[in-house]
Amino acid sequence: MVYQPDIAAPGIDILAAYSKQTTITGYPMDKRRAVFNIISGTSMACPHVAAAAAYVKSFHPDWSPAAIKSALMTTAIPMKIKDETAELGSGAGQIDPTKALNPGLVYDLSLSSYIRFLCKEGYNSTNISLLVGGKKRYRCSDFKPAQGADGLNYPTMHLQLKNPNSTISAVFHRTVTHVGYQSSVYKANVVSPEGLSVKVYPSSLQFSHQQQKHSFKVTVKGGSMANETSILSALLKWKDSHDHSVKSYILVYKGGLMF
């Protein structure tokens, strides 16, 4: 399972590093060698995102994979062109590795967080042990129940309406970790479409030192979505006085959508 919106990365006309051990085309008759080459294809996004994650990790070796992913997602540049799939198609944005080095806040996750999420999704001890690996058995009764509509401390929030005619009502619980170098006060700013009410409690978070954590909740409410509307997209930004802008998309969409 991959929660959306995730990361969108360019896959066309990528300037890729090349080994001189092989030719430009890979054919034995080709004698050309190049240090760099232009390569197209959406699969090219994968190594570039991996390299961006490695770049962030080199500056923050103590950050978890979840924290690095959060930094890449919340500092990504919003896509200017979007179709009817909204952020389900464009993702959290186009990554900016330099901005990800100083995201201000990150949404971190531990192993227990993932297990609580899997328990919420209906996985049993056998399924979870197969996913986690090792000989240890994990029982859902040993963990506190995951909170909120999704039960995961993810940088984005989404709600899938199983009944397209049902009203919108969801609560998301999130915890952010301060990774900035200065004490900061972050204030919530929400941009939401007509027909969707998004409230953040508390609307202000004050941090005095690194690694300090604060929790908040987001309530999303609205009437039933019009027949011609498939997705409603809102954006939460936590902003401070040090030019940090921690972006999280909030999506509500009808069940049965296939992308």
Side-chain angles (χ1 to χ4, degrees):
M1 176 183 291
V2 178
Y3 265 11
Q4 297 285 359
D6 208 271
I7 295 176
I12 300 175
D13 292 341
I14 297 299
L15 182 60
Y18 238 55
S19 170
K20 287 190 175 182
Q21 296 298 316
T22 186
T23 64
I24 290 177
T25 61
Y27 295 114
M29 298 298 293
D30 188 356
K31 304 299 182 182
R32 296 172 298 170
R33 299 290 195 276
V35 177
F36 294 97
N37 196 10
I38 291 290
I39 302 177
S40 295
T42 54
S43 60
M44 286 301 299
C46 180
H48 282 76
V49 172
Y55 175 71
V56 176
K57 182 74 171 178
S58 70
F59 284 85
H60 302 286
D62 57 328
W63 283 13
S64 69
I68 293 172
K69 184 174 184 179
S70 171
L72 290 169
M73 291 175 63
T74 59
T75 59
I77 302 169
M79 305 295 281
K80 293 182 179 180
I81 301 176
K82 298 175 185 177
D83 57 18
E84 67 277 4
T85 63
E87 283 76 25
L88 287 178
S90 65
Q94 186 174 7
I95 59 174
D96 186 335
T98 57
K99 284 187 177 180
L101 296 180
N102 183 23
L105 304 174
V106 294
Y107 295 80
D108 207 355
L109 282 166
S110 62
L111 176 60
S112 61
S113 299
Y114 285 112
I115 293 174
R116 291 167 59 196
F117 165 73
L118 291 173
C119 292
K120 182 179 176 65
E121 291 296 309
Y123 285 72
N124 58 32
S125 178
T126 302
N127 301 140
I128 295 173
S129 296
L130 287 172
L131 287 171
V132 176
K135 296 181 180 180
K136 184 175 180 180
R137 301 283 289 184
Y138 296 92
R139 297 178 301 179
C140 290
S141 58
D142 295 335
F143 296 87
K144 293 181 179 179
Q147 290 184 303
D150 54 5
L152 196 65
N153 195 41
Y154 206 66
T156 58
M157 306 163 213
H158 86 274
L159 173 67
Q160 184 178 24
L161 301 176
K162 295 179 180 177
N163 182 346
N165 297 318
S166 63
T167 57
I168 300 168
S169 180
V171 178
F172 299 93
H173 293 265
R174 293 294 187 267
T175 299
V176 286
T177 304
H178 179 49
V179 293
Y181 300 104
Q182 301 152 307
S183 59
S184 298
V185 177
Y186 284 82
K187 294 184 179 180
N189 177 268
V190 177
V191 178
S192 58
E194 184 178 352
L196 191 65
S197 172
V198 179
K199 303 292 184 182
V200 183
Y201 306 96
S203 60
S204 177
L205 303 175
Q206 184 170 353
F207 299 89
S208 59
H209 57 272
Q210 276 196 339
Q211 299 306 310
Q212 186 177 3
K213 299 178 184 292
H214 278 310
S215 298
F216 63 93
K217 71 176 182 179
V218 178
T219 63
V220 180
K221 294 185 179 295
S224 58
M225 295 171 65
N227 292 333
E228 66 275 9
T229 303
S230 298
I231 300 175
L232 292 174
S233 172
L235 179 62
L236 164 62
K237 290 183 182 180
W238 286 105
K239 304 183 72 172
D240 70 353
S241 60
H242 305 299
D243 294 328
H244 292 118
S245 181
V246 188
K247 298 183 288 293
S248 291
Y249 286 100
I250 304 167
L251 289 189
V252 180
Y253 58 98
K254 293 178 179 178
L257 288 179
M258 299 296 292
F259 303 114

